[in-house]
Amino acid sequence: MIHVLATIEVVDGKRDEFLKHFNELVPQVLAEEGCIAYGPAVDLQTNLPVQPPVRPNIVTVIEQWDDLSALEAHLMAPHMVAFRDVVKDLVVETIVGVLEPA
């Protein structure tokens, strides 16, 4: 199994619009072969001293896949290609971290 953390910075004031499109995509991704978990998360304000300030323009996607080949297939799936086109004007930057259990 592998884990993926994708940090997506969206245009100021566009997070809700981005999440609307993203949440429409989630069922298609969850149906993909090799997908274990896939969903968006946003920063939660807490009083924990180790937490940095809330980032209002960040969406973090938390994913689990059977293996790297399943992730690679996901990235090329037709619904992902279409999604990237739909949100291209809403996204500033995407950083993806692919991790394995230690």
Side-chain angles (χ1 to χ4, degrees):
M1 176 179 53
I2 60 171
H3 304 275
V4 178
L5 295 176
T7 304
I8 304 168
E9 180 183 357
V10 298
V11 173
D12 286 343
K14 297 293 184 176
R15 188 175 79 180
D16 288 345
E17 183 179 350
F18 175 84
L19 283 169
K20 176 187 159 294
H21 294 296
F22 191 92
N23 284 316
E24 291 170 354
L25 174 75
V26 169
Q28 296 173 74
V29 176
L30 290 172
E32 291 179 38
E33 185 173 337
C35 183
I36 299 167
Y38 187 86
V42 296
D43 289 2
L44 174 67
Q45 179 64 52
T46 72
N47 293 321
L48 299 174
V50 295
Q51 181 179 348
V54 168
R55 304 164 299 167
N57 295 332
I58 297 294
V59 174
T60 302
V61 183
I62 302 165
E63 311 174 33
Q64 289 182 314
W65 296 90
D66 281 340
D67 52 36
L68 187 56
S69 63
L71 173 62
E72 290 169 340
H74 158 70
L75 294 172
M76 301 310 299
H79 52 268
M80 289 306 299
V81 173
F83 171 75
R84 285 191 293 272
D85 188 53
V86 167
V87 300
K88 69 180 181 238
D89 294 330
L90 304 175
V91 174
V92 175
E93 180 181 34
T94 301
I95 298 171
V96 176
V98 181
L99 311 157
E100 64 181 340

